[in-house]
Amino acid sequence: MTESTNTPWRAAPVLAAAALLVATPLAGTGSAQAQPAAVQPQASAVQSESLPNGAGRKYQVSFRQLGAIFPLQLRGVQGTGGVQFSVRGDEVVSSARLRLNYAYSPALLPDISHLRVMVNEQVVTTIPVPKEQGGQNLQRVIDIPARMIGEFNRLNIELIGHYTMDCEDPAHSSLWANVGNDSVLELTVSPLALANDLAFLPEPFFDRRDARPLELPIVFANTPDAAQLEAAGTISSWFGALAGFRGASFPAAVGQIPAKGHAVVLALGTQSVPGLDLPAAKGPAITVATHPTDSTAKVLIVSGRDVQELKRAATALTVGAPALSGPTAVITEFTQVEPRKPYDAPNWLSKDRPVKFGELAQADMLSVAGYSPDLIRVNFQVPPDLFAWRKQDIPVHIKYRYTGQNGADKSTLNINVNEQFLRSLPLRAADFSPTGRVQRLIDSVLPAPALASGDLLPAEDFFQVPLFKLPARSQLQFHYYHELKKEGSCKDVLLDNVRGTVEPDSTIDITGFSHFLAMPDLAAFGNSGFPFTRLADLSESAVVLPARPEHADYSAYLSLMGLMGNVTGYPAHAVTVALGDNLQGLEDKDLLVIASGSNPPLLSRWADHLPFSLNGDGKRFRLSDYASQLLNWWDPDQASRAKPGRSEVVFNSSSSDAVLAGFESPLRSGRSVVMLASNQAAGLQQITEALRDPDLLKRIQGSAAVVRGQEVNSLVAEQTYHVGELGAVTHARWWLSRNPLALVVLGVSAAILIGLMLYIALRARARARLKAAAK
């Protein structure tokens, strides 16, 4: 069985994305001369600075936020490194500036060496490399013409380096420059008015060019009932799926839209929102309108004459947005969406067939060039309940092509998973000939097709990925290493003709794995939304809110639905919402309970099942201890996770505690409950923020975790039941492996039974002999 561990994978796709994040507000301008670089603090909060009179905004983003996790290392006579950035479709750049932190080799010859700054292959400026500043940490401020910047952009820094006027080694160790990933790109943008047209959806509410976390307010015209909340959950899960690695949050409001920015409004019948002219409901309708107090923002209005029409409009929006157009679309006919099947989430690897790499990554992201190329990255998700007992590895069939060199060398294709080395595949030479007798015979009968000059050499191989190395969200990384051959003085020339690809029809295969997992497991919930996301539309899930929810309860619910959509890539249009303690009809559903304030649902009713209690300032927590971990040493599947509660602490405190807990549903065995509880409604925001933060997410483990601001502590891990199915024989073998004493008893019993049967058979044979002898 896999160990469900939370890994901060959500930020990983930023490495390959054309990203634009916002950091700290700008502070003045700088000189264009190279200065010793000051240490700049890393921005931790996403902020922007609005310009006066609504003229736009100004923001800055570091190279690290644009995907350069490490400083850019420029090597050789023409080393290049850079980052990608993009600009929203409803904004236009009016000015741009680069604050570049860099250093270079003191061995460079300043007359024939320099650094070249380029945007979209156009030269912005060249930076001289005077010898007296070699080896120092420098900073230069560079103005970038706005005309060079489009929607999707690449900013490159190129080293043109030479260390001698005579013959030189193009890969000499003195040819280097370093560009800090704390370098900052500053942009000033002006708003661009868009027409009120649904054809732009999901823009401007979500823009794929904008890699900041999505924050989209959802406004209810009046206090919503359960059905209206279901419609809102459908919409938030759709936007959550679109947001992807960015993450998304959905502040909720009732009866009032925010003064600025985009928003979504849900209206029923004749309901109205102050300041917003809602169209008369003529059926399930979707409308885009200009914000009444912010001319640069839009409002997306989803409406219906009753709750059924409202839900139909919400579902039509999430599954049919590409087909909509005009300022208003009235849904006259909508065929019900076909129910999802278990484990068929679009973002998960299929359990029915091998999945091609071309389904997981764009074709242009599977090719690299140069002697020191970037990684080829393939992101994928696996269900967290894959059962690995007696089947430990996932097979991968890789097909790849590369530029072959003449003569044997040490070039390789190195394969990692989540930055852990797996294996290395040698890259055979272009003039390679097989040495084995069998292979030569095969080649004589079936000769390989001749390759034209410059063609890439094809190759393929099989390898296994250990399942224990795979959290629910993982990344395969392929790195081409090309050996540089030394030809001798004045003969070494690096030709820009080295290429490498991983073919889109390479496959990864999880067919044949059973689904079985020890529960509760908050790691599986935090990283994959499990068990709720087992069905991508959440048709077997219900969310239980207080009878009189506060705004923080609505926001927590909507943000959680956004997380579910982010995991599955599909809107949760079949989720059920219940208010209060009435759980009639929810016996066969997994329950997500949001309990906050002074009257939380089910907290007292299910107190015996909870490892905690929150009653005003009175708090009780059950804790595990070190001895409880030692008791499970014989069970390799569970020893690292099971930490049964062995002690309890009770105290009074006025602190705001938020607790995330899982346990088996009291309504039906085999069903799960995950509860988000806080003595204050605002505490729920701490949990949803922790679930979106990669650093905090990995600390959410076990069956109960407490969140206090930026601190997350897993208190206990009591695994009391299992979900999923195993074959009868596999289940029996697995159960015996977990219960060695039963295995001994069964073995002794079998030996006694066999001995008894042999004794009876031999006694019968002896009696038959005696009777024969007597005759």
mmCIF file of all heavy atoms in Angstrom, residues 206-250:
data_model
loop_
_atom_site.group_PDB
_atom_site.id
_atom_site.type_symbol
_atom_site.label_atom_id
_atom_site.label_comp_id
_atom_site.label_asym_id
_atom_site.label_seq_id
_atom_site.Cartn_x
_atom_site.Cartn_y
_atom_site.Cartn_z
ATOM 1 N N PHE A 206 -10.505 34.490 -14.825
ATOM 2 C CA PHE A 206 -9.258 33.743 -14.720
ATOM 3 C C PHE A 206 -8.501 33.928 -16.020
ATOM 4 O O PHE A 206 -9.068 33.774 -17.107
ATOM 5 C CB PHE A 206 -9.509 32.249 -14.480
ATOM 6 C CG PHE A 206 -8.279 31.413 -14.715
ATOM 7 C CD1 PHE A 206 -7.263 31.392 -13.779
ATOM 8 C CD2 PHE A 206 -8.125 30.695 -15.892
ATOM 9 C CE1 PHE A 206 -6.112 30.652 -14.015
ATOM 10 C CE2 PHE A 206 -6.994 29.947 -16.125
ATOM 11 C CZ PHE A 206 -5.972 29.929 -15.181
ATOM 12 N N ASP A 207 -7.215 34.272 -15.905
ATOM 13 C CA ASP A 207 -6.369 34.481 -17.072
ATOM 14 C C ASP A 207 -5.159 33.567 -16.946
ATOM 15 O O ASP A 207 -4.378 33.685 -15.998
ATOM 16 C CB ASP A 207 -5.927 35.951 -17.145
ATOM 17 C CG ASP A 207 -5.329 36.302 -18.507
ATOM 18 O OD1 ASP A 207 -4.598 35.457 -19.056
ATOM 19 O OD2 ASP A 207 -5.588 37.422 -18.998
ATOM 20 N N ARG A 208 -4.989 32.654 -17.903
ATOM 21 C CA ARG A 208 -3.896 31.689 -17.820
ATOM 22 C C ARG A 208 -2.529 32.356 -17.919
ATOM 23 O O ARG A 208 -1.521 31.759 -17.547
ATOM 24 C CB ARG A 208 -4.028 30.655 -18.938
ATOM 25 C CG ARG A 208 -3.931 31.203 -20.341
ATOM 26 C CD ARG A 208 -4.368 30.193 -21.381
ATOM 27 N NE ARG A 208 -4.329 30.732 -22.739
ATOM 28 C CZ ARG A 208 -3.306 30.585 -23.564
ATOM 29 N NH1 ARG A 208 -2.247 29.873 -23.161
ATOM 30 N NH2 ARG A 208 -3.331 31.086 -24.772
ATOM 31 N N ARG A 209 -2.469 33.598 -18.406
ATOM 32 C CA ARG A 209 -1.206 34.322 -18.464
ATOM 33 C C ARG A 209 -0.760 34.796 -17.088
ATOM 34 O O ARG A 209 0.391 35.169 -16.896
ATOM 35 C CB ARG A 209 -1.326 35.530 -19.395
ATOM 36 C CG ARG A 209 -1.897 35.233 -20.769
ATOM 37 C CD ARG A 209 -2.183 36.528 -21.498
ATOM 38 N NE ARG A 209 -2.935 36.331 -22.731
ATOM 39 C CZ ARG A 209 -4.251 36.272 -22.816
ATOM 40 N NH1 ARG A 209 -4.972 36.357 -21.706
ATOM 41 N NH2 ARG A 209 -4.849 36.101 -23.965
ATOM 42 N N ASP A 210 -1.671 34.837 -16.159
ATOM 43 C CA ASP A 210 -1.412 35.381 -14.827
ATOM 44 C C ASP A 210 -1.163 34.229 -13.864
ATOM 45 O O ASP A 210 -2.074 33.449 -13.587
ATOM 46 C CB ASP A 210 -2.622 36.204 -14.369
ATOM 47 C CG ASP A 210 -2.344 37.008 -13.115
ATOM 48 O OD1 ASP A 210 -1.315 36.745 -12.456
ATOM 49 O OD2 ASP A 210 -3.140 37.896 -12.786
ATOM 50 N N ALA A 211 0.069 34.103 -13.373
ATOM 51 C CA ALA A 211 0.411 32.969 -12.516
ATOM 52 C C ALA A 211 0.283 33.291 -11.031
ATOM 53 O O ALA A 211 0.732 32.526 -10.192
ATOM 54 C CB ALA A 211 1.829 32.487 -12.811
ATOM 55 N N ARG A 212 -0.332 34.426 -10.711
ATOM 56 C CA ARG A 212 -0.617 34.696 -9.304
ATOM 57 C C ARG A 212 -1.736 33.785 -8.813
ATOM 58 O O ARG A 212 -2.569 33.338 -9.613
ATOM 59 C CB ARG A 212 -1.045 36.153 -9.116
ATOM 60 C CG ARG A 212 0.037 37.167 -9.389
ATOM 61 C CD ARG A 212 -0.520 38.578 -9.343
ATOM 62 N NE ARG A 212 -1.517 38.800 -10.392
ATOM 63 C CZ ARG A 212 -2.289 39.874 -10.459
ATOM 64 N NH1 ARG A 212 -2.211 40.811 -9.542
ATOM 65 N NH2 ARG A 212 -3.166 40.015 -11.454
ATOM 66 N N PRO A 213 -1.801 33.494 -7.516
ATOM 67 C CA PRO A 213 -2.957 32.747 -6.997
ATOM 68 C C PRO A 213 -4.257 33.481 -7.342
ATOM 69 O O PRO A 213 -4.346 34.709 -7.240
ATOM 70 C CB PRO A 213 -2.709 32.723 -5.490
ATOM 71 C CG PRO A 213 -1.225 32.862 -5.341
ATOM 72 C CD PRO A 213 -0.793 33.759 -6.462
ATOM 73 N N LEU A 214 -5.243 32.709 -7.766
ATOM 74 C CA LEU A 214 -6.534 33.295 -8.145
ATOM 75 C C LEU A 214 -7.338 33.624 -6.887
ATOM 76 O O LEU A 214 -7.511 32.775 -6.011
ATOM 77 C CB LEU A 214 -7.312 32.305 -9.014
ATOM 78 C CG LEU A 214 -8.745 32.697 -9.372
ATOM 79 C CD1 LEU A 214 -8.760 33.928 -10.266
ATOM 80 C CD2 LEU A 214 -9.465 31.533 -10.039
ATOM 81 N N GLU A 215 -7.820 34.849 -6.806
ATOM 82 C CA GLU A 215 -8.737 35.249 -5.734
ATOM 83 C C GLU A 215 -9.966 35.849 -6.393
ATOM 84 O O GLU A 215 -9.909 36.931 -6.973
ATOM 85 C CB GLU A 215 -8.086 36.257 -4.787
ATOM 86 C CG GLU A 215 -9.012 36.647 -3.632
ATOM 87 C CD GLU A 215 -8.336 37.516 -2.590
ATOM 88 O OE1 GLU A 215 -7.134 37.282 -2.321
ATOM 89 O OE2 GLU A 215 -8.994 38.435 -2.066
ATOM 90 N N LEU A 216 -11.077 35.122 -6.321
ATOM 91 C CA LEU A 216 -12.289 35.512 -7.026
ATOM 92 C C LEU A 216 -13.466 35.523 -6.050
ATOM 93 O O LEU A 216 -13.932 34.469 -5.610
ATOM 94 C CB LEU A 216 -12.563 34.531 -8.170
ATOM 95 C CG LEU A 216 -13.787 34.814 -9.038
ATOM 96 C CD1 LEU A 216 -13.646 36.166 -9.740
ATOM 97 C CD2 LEU A 216 -13.977 33.703 -10.059
ATOM 98 N N PRO A 217 -13.968 36.704 -5.674
ATOM 99 C CA PRO A 217 -15.120 36.760 -4.763
ATOM 100 C C PRO A 217 -16.368 36.160 -5.403
ATOM 101 O O PRO A 217 -16.618 36.334 -6.603
ATOM 102 C CB PRO A 217 -15.300 38.262 -4.511
ATOM 103 C CG PRO A 217 -13.986 38.888 -4.879
ATOM 104 C CD PRO A 217 -13.432 38.040 -5.984
ATOM 105 N N ILE A 218 -17.152 35.430 -4.595
ATOM 106 C CA ILE A 218 -18.442 34.899 -5.028
ATOM 107 C C ILE A 218 -19.517 35.512 -4.127
ATOM 108 O O ILE A 218 -19.446 35.400 -2.892
ATOM 109 C CB ILE A 218 -18.466 33.367 -4.959
ATOM 110 C CG1 ILE A 218 -17.494 32.796 -6.000
ATOM 111 C CG2 ILE A 218 -19.870 32.821 -5.188
ATOM 112 C CD1 ILE A 218 -17.492 31.295 -6.096
ATOM 113 N N VAL A 219 -20.472 36.170 -4.765
ATOM 114 C CA VAL A 219 -21.475 36.954 -4.041
ATOM 115 C C VAL A 219 -22.842 36.304 -4.207
ATOM 116 O O VAL A 219 -23.252 35.977 -5.338
ATOM 117 C CB VAL A 219 -21.504 38.404 -4.562
ATOM 118 C CG1 VAL A 219 -22.543 39.226 -3.795
ATOM 119 C CG2 VAL A 219 -20.125 39.043 -4.456
ATOM 120 N N PHE A 220 -23.553 36.120 -3.091
ATOM 121 C CA PHE A 220 -24.942 35.639 -3.110
ATOM 122 C C PHE A 220 -25.866 36.845 -2.954
ATOM 123 O O PHE A 220 -25.643 37.705 -2.091
ATOM 124 C CB PHE A 220 -25.190 34.646 -1.977
ATOM 125 C CG PHE A 220 -24.306 33.425 -2.039
ATOM 126 C CD1 PHE A 220 -23.138 33.357 -1.303
ATOM 127 C CD2 PHE A 220 -24.644 32.348 -2.837
ATOM 128 C CE1 PHE A 220 -22.318 32.242 -1.346
ATOM 129 C CE2 PHE A 220 -23.835 31.220 -2.898
ATOM 130 C CZ PHE A 220 -22.678 31.171 -2.147
ATOM 131 N N ALA A 221 -26.906 36.892 -3.768
ATOM 132 C CA ALA A 221 -27.831 38.023 -3.674
ATOM 133 C C ALA A 221 -28.498 38.073 -2.309
ATOM 134 O O ALA A 221 -28.641 39.148 -1.707
ATOM 135 C CB ALA A 221 -28.873 37.939 -4.782
ATOM 136 N N ASN A 222 -28.935 36.917 -1.806
ATOM 137 C CA ASN A 222 -29.515 36.807 -0.470
ATOM 138 C C ASN A 222 -28.880 35.607 0.220
ATOM 139 O O ASN A 222 -28.110 34.863 -0.397
ATOM 140 C CB ASN A 222 -31.040 36.646 -0.521
ATOM 141 C CG ASN A 222 -31.741 37.955 -0.827
ATOM 142 O OD1 ASN A 222 -31.191 39.032 -0.568
ATOM 143 N ND2 ASN A 222 -32.940 37.881 -1.397
ATOM 144 N N THR A 223 -29.216 35.411 1.493
ATOM 145 C CA THR A 223 -28.668 34.272 2.237
ATOM 146 C C THR A 223 -28.968 32.979 1.486
ATOM 147 O O THR A 223 -30.129 32.659 1.219
ATOM 148 C CB THR A 223 -29.280 34.201 3.642
ATOM 149 O OG1 THR A 223 -28.996 35.433 4.328
ATOM 150 C CG2 THR A 223 -28.688 33.042 4.423
ATOM 151 N N PRO A 224 -27.943 32.223 1.116
ATOM 152 C CA PRO A 224 -28.168 31.057 0.245
ATOM 153 C C PRO A 224 -28.670 29.851 1.024
ATOM 154 O O PRO A 224 -28.364 29.670 2.210
ATOM 155 C CB PRO A 224 -26.770 30.794 -0.324
ATOM 156 C CG PRO A 224 -25.838 31.270 0.748
ATOM 157 C CD PRO A 224 -26.510 32.450 1.382
ATOM 158 N N ASP A 225 -29.444 29.011 0.337
ATOM 159 C CA ASP A 225 -29.816 27.722 0.906
ATOM 160 C C ASP A 225 -28.846 26.670 0.384
ATOM 161 O O ASP A 225 -27.870 26.969 -0.311
ATOM 162 C CB ASP A 225 -31.268 27.374 0.569
ATOM 163 C CG ASP A 225 -31.524 27.315 -0.939
ATOM 164 O OD1 ASP A 225 -30.548 27.292 -1.725
ATOM 165 O OD2 ASP A 225 -32.701 27.295 -1.345
ATOM 166 N N ALA A 226 -29.109 25.403 0.700
ATOM 167 C CA ALA A 226 -28.183 24.333 0.334
ATOM 168 C C ALA A 226 -28.015 24.223 -1.183
ATOM 169 O O ALA A 226 -26.897 24.042 -1.689
ATOM 170 C CB ALA A 226 -28.660 23.005 0.922
ATOM 171 N N ALA A 227 -29.114 24.352 -1.938
ATOM 172 C CA ALA A 227 -29.035 24.205 -3.387
ATOM 173 C C ALA A 227 -28.215 25.329 -4.021
ATOM 174 O O ALA A 227 -27.452 25.104 -4.965
ATOM 175 C CB ALA A 227 -30.438 24.171 -3.993
ATOM 176 N N GLN A 228 -28.378 26.567 -3.524
ATOM 177 C CA GLN A 228 -27.573 27.667 -4.049
ATOM 178 C C GLN A 228 -26.094 27.458 -3.744
ATOM 179 O O GLN A 228 -25.228 27.790 -4.552
ATOM 180 C CB GLN A 228 -28.054 28.994 -3.464
ATOM 181 C CG GLN A 228 -29.428 29.420 -3.965
ATOM 182 C CD GLN A 228 -29.933 30.643 -3.247
ATOM 183 O OE1 GLN A 228 -30.600 30.552 -2.214
ATOM 184 N NE2 GLN A 228 -29.628 31.812 -3.768
ATOM 185 N N LEU A 229 -25.805 26.911 -2.579
ATOM 186 C CA LEU A 229 -24.410 26.612 -2.235
ATOM 187 C C LEU A 229 -23.847 25.528 -3.145
ATOM 188 O O LEU A 229 -22.666 25.558 -3.504
ATOM 189 C CB LEU A 229 -24.309 26.192 -0.766
ATOM 190 C CG LEU A 229 -24.531 27.312 0.258
ATOM 191 C CD1 LEU A 229 -24.649 26.742 1.663
ATOM 192 C CD2 LEU A 229 -23.386 28.322 0.197
ATOM 193 N N GLU A 230 -24.679 24.570 -3.521
ATOM 194 C CA GLU A 230 -24.213 23.541 -4.461
ATOM 195 C C GLU A 230 -23.849 24.169 -5.805
ATOM 196 O O GLU A 230 -22.840 23.804 -6.422
ATOM 197 C CB GLU A 230 -25.290 22.474 -4.629
ATOM 198 C CG GLU A 230 -25.489 21.616 -3.386
ATOM 199 C CD GLU A 230 -26.713 20.720 -3.468
ATOM 200 O OE1 GLU A 230 -27.401 20.765 -4.520
ATOM 201 O OE2 GLU A 230 -26.995 19.991 -2.508
ATOM 202 N N ALA A 231 -24.669 25.107 -6.268
ATOM 203 C CA ALA A 231 -24.366 25.797 -7.526
ATOM 204 C C ALA A 231 -23.069 26.586 -7.408
ATOM 205 O O ALA A 231 -22.224 26.576 -8.324
ATOM 206 C CB ALA A 231 -25.527 26.722 -7.904
ATOM 207 N N ALA A 232 -22.881 27.272 -6.279
ATOM 208 C CA ALA A 232 -21.645 28.035 -6.074
ATOM 209 C C ALA A 232 -20.439 27.116 -6.003
ATOM 210 O O ALA A 232 -19.355 27.448 -6.503
ATOM 211 C CB ALA A 232 -21.759 28.871 -4.801
ATOM 212 N N GLY A 233 -20.604 25.945 -5.375
ATOM 213 C CA GLY A 233 -19.509 24.982 -5.312
ATOM 214 C C GLY A 233 -19.117 24.470 -6.684
ATOM 215 O O GLY A 233 -17.935 24.229 -6.960
ATOM 216 N N THR A 234 -20.090 24.298 -7.562
ATOM 217 C CA THR A 234 -19.794 23.895 -8.938
ATOM 218 C C THR A 234 -18.915 24.930 -9.624
ATOM 219 O O THR A 234 -17.918 24.593 -10.277
ATOM 220 C CB THR A 234 -21.102 23.711 -9.725
ATOM 221 O OG1 THR A 234 -21.908 22.713 -9.101
ATOM 222 C CG2 THR A 234 -20.820 23.318 -11.162
ATOM 223 N N ILE A 235 -19.240 26.203 -9.436
ATOM 224 C CA ILE A 235 -18.482 27.281 -10.090
ATOM 225 C C ILE A 235 -17.085 27.398 -9.493
ATOM 226 O O ILE A 235 -16.085 27.513 -10.215
ATOM 227 C CB ILE A 235 -19.254 28.605 -9.966
ATOM 228 C CG1 ILE A 235 -20.583 28.517 -10.725
ATOM 229 C CG2 ILE A 235 -18.418 29.768 -10.483
ATOM 230 C CD1 ILE A 235 -21.508 29.690 -10.495
ATOM 231 N N SER A 236 -16.976 27.370 -8.159
ATOM 232 C CA SER A 236 -15.650 27.516 -7.541
ATOM 233 C C SER A 236 -14.744 26.338 -7.882
ATOM 234 O O SER A 236 -13.536 26.513 -8.071
ATOM 235 C CB SER A 236 -15.787 27.669 -6.018
ATOM 236 O OG SER A 236 -16.327 26.505 -5.421
ATOM 237 N N SER A 237 -15.302 25.133 -7.980
ATOM 238 C CA SER A 237 -14.468 23.984 -8.341
ATOM 239 C C SER A 237 -13.976 24.101 -9.779
ATOM 240 O O SER A 237 -12.862 23.670 -10.104
ATOM 241 C CB SER A 237 -15.247 22.677 -8.148
ATOM 242 O OG SER A 237 -16.375 22.608 -9.005
ATOM 243 N N TRP A 238 -14.793 24.691 -10.658
ATOM 244 C CA TRP A 238 -14.366 24.899 -12.055
ATOM 245 C C TRP A 238 -13.204 25.879 -12.113
ATOM 246 O O TRP A 238 -12.191 25.620 -12.763
ATOM 247 C CB TRP A 238 -15.553 25.411 -12.871
ATOM 248 C CG TRP A 238 -15.226 25.710 -14.299
ATOM 249 C CD1 TRP A 238 -14.678 24.860 -15.221
ATOM 250 C CD2 TRP A 238 -15.433 26.952 -14.981
ATOM 251 N NE1 TRP A 238 -14.543 25.495 -16.440
ATOM 252 C CE2 TRP A 238 -15.003 26.785 -16.319
ATOM 253 C CE3 TRP A 238 -15.964 28.187 -14.592
ATOM 254 C CZ2 TRP A 238 -15.071 27.813 -17.259
ATOM 255 C CZ3 TRP A 238 -16.042 29.201 -15.537
ATOM 256 C CH2 TRP A 238 -15.593 29.012 -16.845
ATOM 257 N N PHE A 239 -13.344 26.993 -11.424
ATOM 258 C CA PHE A 239 -12.241 27.959 -11.408
ATOM 259 C C PHE A 239 -11.018 27.379 -10.705
ATOM 260 O O PHE A 239 -9.887 27.682 -11.074
ATOM 261 C CB PHE A 239 -12.685 29.260 -10.742
ATOM 262 C CG PHE A 239 -13.449 30.178 -11.653
ATOM 263 C CD1 PHE A 239 -14.809 30.383 -11.474
ATOM 264 C CD2 PHE A 239 -12.813 30.831 -12.688
ATOM 265 C CE1 PHE A 239 -15.517 31.227 -12.312
ATOM 266 C CE2 PHE A 239 -13.516 31.681 -13.540
ATOM 267 C CZ PHE A 239 -14.870 31.880 -13.351
ATOM 268 N N GLY A 240 -11.230 26.556 -9.682
ATOM 269 C CA GLY A 240 -10.105 25.904 -9.030
ATOM 270 C C GLY A 240 -9.360 24.979 -9.972
ATOM 271 O O GLY A 240 -8.127 24.896 -9.958
ATOM 272 N N ALA A 241 -10.118 24.263 -10.833
ATOM 273 C CA ALA A 241 -9.482 23.388 -11.823
ATOM 274 C C ALA A 241 -8.687 24.205 -12.830
ATOM 275 O O ALA A 241 -7.584 23.815 -13.229
ATOM 276 C CB ALA A 241 -10.546 22.551 -12.529
ATOM 277 N N LEU A 242 -9.223 25.349 -13.240
ATOM 278 C CA LEU A 242 -8.512 26.209 -14.187
ATOM 279 C C LEU A 242 -7.248 26.792 -13.563
ATOM 280 O O LEU A 242 -6.218 26.936 -14.238
ATOM 281 C CB LEU A 242 -9.431 27.345 -14.658
ATOM 282 C CG LEU A 242 -10.647 26.954 -15.504
ATOM 283 C CD1 LEU A 242 -11.540 28.170 -15.718
ATOM 284 C CD2 LEU A 242 -10.220 26.378 -16.839
ATOM 285 N N ALA A 243 -7.314 27.132 -12.275
ATOM 286 C CA ALA A 243 -6.178 27.787 -11.620
ATOM 287 C C ALA A 243 -4.948 26.894 -11.566
ATOM 288 O O ALA A 243 -3.818 27.371 -11.608
ATOM 289 C CB ALA A 243 -6.574 28.226 -10.209
ATOM 290 N N GLY A 244 -5.143 25.587 -11.463
ATOM 291 C CA GLY A 244 -4.012 24.671 -11.483
ATOM 292 C C GLY A 244 -3.011 24.958 -10.387
ATOM 293 O O GLY A 244 -3.361 25.112 -9.215
ATOM 294 N N PHE A 245 -1.713 25.061 -10.775
ATOM 295 C CA PHE A 245 -0.650 25.216 -9.784
ATOM 296 C C PHE A 245 -0.749 26.522 -9.016
ATOM 297 O O PHE A 245 -0.152 26.658 -7.940
ATOM 298 C CB PHE A 245 0.712 25.141 -10.481
ATOM 299 C CG PHE A 245 0.992 26.299 -11.402
ATOM 300 C CD1 PHE A 245 1.579 27.455 -10.930
ATOM 301 C CD2 PHE A 245 0.663 26.227 -12.739
ATOM 302 C CE1 PHE A 245 1.835 28.524 -11.779
ATOM 303 C CE2 PHE A 245 0.918 27.279 -13.600
ATOM 304 C CZ PHE A 245 1.504 28.435 -13.115
ATOM 305 N N ARG A 246 -1.503 27.498 -9.499
ATOM 306 C CA ARG A 246 -1.578 28.796 -8.833
ATOM 307 C C ARG A 246 -2.314 28.711 -7.507
ATOM 308 O O ARG A 246 -2.017 29.453 -6.578
ATOM 309 C CB ARG A 246 -2.298 29.807 -9.735
ATOM 310 C CG ARG A 246 -1.681 29.971 -11.104
ATOM 311 C CD ARG A 246 -2.649 30.649 -12.064
ATOM 312 N NE ARG A 246 -2.128 30.724 -13.424
ATOM 313 C CZ ARG A 246 -2.164 29.740 -14.305
ATOM 314 N NH1 ARG A 246 -2.720 28.576 -13.975
ATOM 315 N NH2 ARG A 246 -1.678 29.893 -15.507
ATOM 316 N N GLY A 247 -3.304 27.808 -7.437
ATOM 317 C CA GLY A 247 -4.182 27.779 -6.278
ATOM 318 C C GLY A 247 -5.259 28.843 -6.401
ATOM 319 O O GLY A 247 -5.139 29.791 -7.191
ATOM 320 N N ALA A 248 -6.326 28.704 -5.633
ATOM 321 C CA ALA A 248 -7.440 29.647 -5.738
ATOM 322 C C ALA A 248 -8.148 29.773 -4.404
ATOM 323 O O ALA A 248 -8.239 28.815 -3.634
ATOM 324 C CB ALA A 248 -8.430 29.189 -6.818
ATOM 325 N N SER A 249 -8.644 30.959 -4.143
ATOM 326 C CA SER A 249 -9.485 31.205 -2.969
ATOM 327 C C SER A 249 -10.704 31.997 -3.419
ATOM 328 O O SER A 249 -10.647 32.745 -4.410
ATOM 329 C CB SER A 249 -8.721 31.963 -1.880
ATOM 330 O OG SER A 249 -8.270 33.222 -2.354
ATOM 331 N N PHE A 250 -11.799 31.841 -2.658
ATOM 332 C CA PHE A 250 -13.075 32.419 -3.069
ATOM 333 C C PHE A 250 -13.753 33.095 -1.871
ATOM 334 O O PHE A 250 -14.594 32.493 -1.207
ATOM 335 C CB PHE A 250 -13.977 31.341 -3.669
ATOM 336 C CG PHE A 250 -13.365 30.624 -4.842
ATOM 337 C CD1 PHE A 250 -12.632 29.462 -4.657
ATOM 338 C CD2 PHE A 250 -13.488 31.137 -6.118
ATOM 339 C CE1 PHE A 250 -12.055 28.804 -5.730
ATOM 340 C CE2 PHE A 250 -12.912 30.487 -7.206
ATOM 341 C CZ PHE A 250 -12.198 29.327 -7.011
#
